Amino acid sequence: MRPRLQIIVSSTRPGRIGLPIAEWFASEATAHDTFEVDFADLAEIGLPLLDEPHHPRLGNYQHDHTKAWSERVAAADAFALVTPEYNHGFPAPLKNALDFLYREWNHKPVGFVSYGGVAAGTRAVALLKPVLLALQLVPVVQTVAIPFAGRRIVDGRFDPPEGLDAAARAMLDALARHVDVLAPLRSAE
Ligand SMILES: Cc1cc2nc3c(=O)[nH]c(=O)nc-3n(C[C@H](O)[C@H](O)[C@H](O)COP(=O)(O)O)c2cc1C
């Protein structure tokens, strides 16, 4: 069975460019032919602000939306976070979606498709990394960072700059390698 890559679309804004960027990345992931792809759009999933009474470590979830999110994340073997940069950080819906769960994230690799202006979303990724480490996610170094991403949207589709396809492939290769290496840690718990 092929490992499952969950692509998380972090921006929930109407008119977000994150959706066409994530769609481009999903087509790269499909063409890479290593992973089953789960396209997880946080706008569609519509989690409320964290409303569980117990610490997520306990897995004692009260709400159907949490149980559904838990099942979906637990089924994933690796993640790609498609994230804009908001005020030099990452969007609140992403933090909220991460905070809902704990074990479901543990010992799984994560890569970034970041975008923004001149900094290409890299400041968002820098702030995201300590949060991911607290969840025992394992960030891979290979990354996809898109500067001035708004200029690359043509008729609602993302037109990648030269070299970005290769960056996506390098990240997908790294995620696949890490899935294998981390598997024993996951089965040990
Ligand atoms: C609340 C907010 C804060 C932003 N802050 C930054 C920022 O710190 N750095 C940056 O490069 N772009 C920033 N931008 C511009 C975004 O990169 C741009 O609007 C992008 O389209 C946002 O992604 P989205 O359309 O997928 O939501 C900000 C945009 C918003 C809405």
Side-chain angles (χ1 to χ4, degrees):
M1 212 169 66
R2 296 200 296 178
R4 196 173 176 83
L5 172 69
Q6 185 175 80
I7 298 172
I8 299 183
V9 188
S10 306
S11 171
T12 57
R13 286 188 325 114
R16 63 216 161 118
I17 64 171
L19 187 57
I21 290 171
E23 286 168 347
W24 160 78
F25 184 76
S27 70
E28 290 291 322
T30 303
H32 192 263
D33 209 21
T34 309
F35 295 101
E36 294 295 325
V37 173
D38 175 28
F39 195 82
D41 179 353
L42 294 184
E44 245 177 47
I45 291 166
L47 288 167
L49 286 177
L50 181 58
D51 60 351
E52 287 289 339
H54 306 296
H55 195 292
R57 273 173 200 266
L58 303 172
N60 181 8
Y61 304 130
Q62 307 299 301
H63 300 297
D64 287 346
H65 54 253
T66 316
K67 291 174 190 167
W69 182 228
S70 165
E71 266 179 39
R72 197 159 168 181
V73 173
D77 300 293
F79 302 95
L81 303 182
V82 182
T83 183
E85 181 172 301
Y86 289 167
N87 300 310
H88 297 192
F90 55 92
L94 177 58
K95 180 68 160 64
N96 189 52
L98 289 165
D99 288 343
F100 256 98
L101 308 175
Y102 178 70
R103 282 195 190 286
E104 297 85 342
W105 302 115
N106 289 181
H107 310 308
K108 296 179 184 176
V110 55
F112 308 97
V113 179
S114 70
Y115 57 94
V118 66
T122 53
R123 293 173 293 212
V125 170
L127 287 187
L128 193 45
K129 279 183 178 166
V131 175
L132 302 179
L133 292 175
L135 294 167
Q136 302 199 65
L137 280 154
V138 178
V140 299
V141 171
Q142 293 79 1
T143 201
V144 178
I146 310 164
F148 302 111
R151 298 181 194 165
R152 312 287 321 185
I153 305 295
V154 182
D155 296 332
R157 289 174 64 90
F158 177 60
D159 174 29
E162 209 183 321
L164 213 67
D165 292 358
R169 285 194 296 273
M171 190 175 104
L172 290 159
D173 288 344
L175 288 170
R177 284 195 301 273
H178 280 74
V179 165
D180 293 341
V181 167
L182 292 171
L185 279 178
R186 287 165 59 186
S187 55
E189 283 188 7

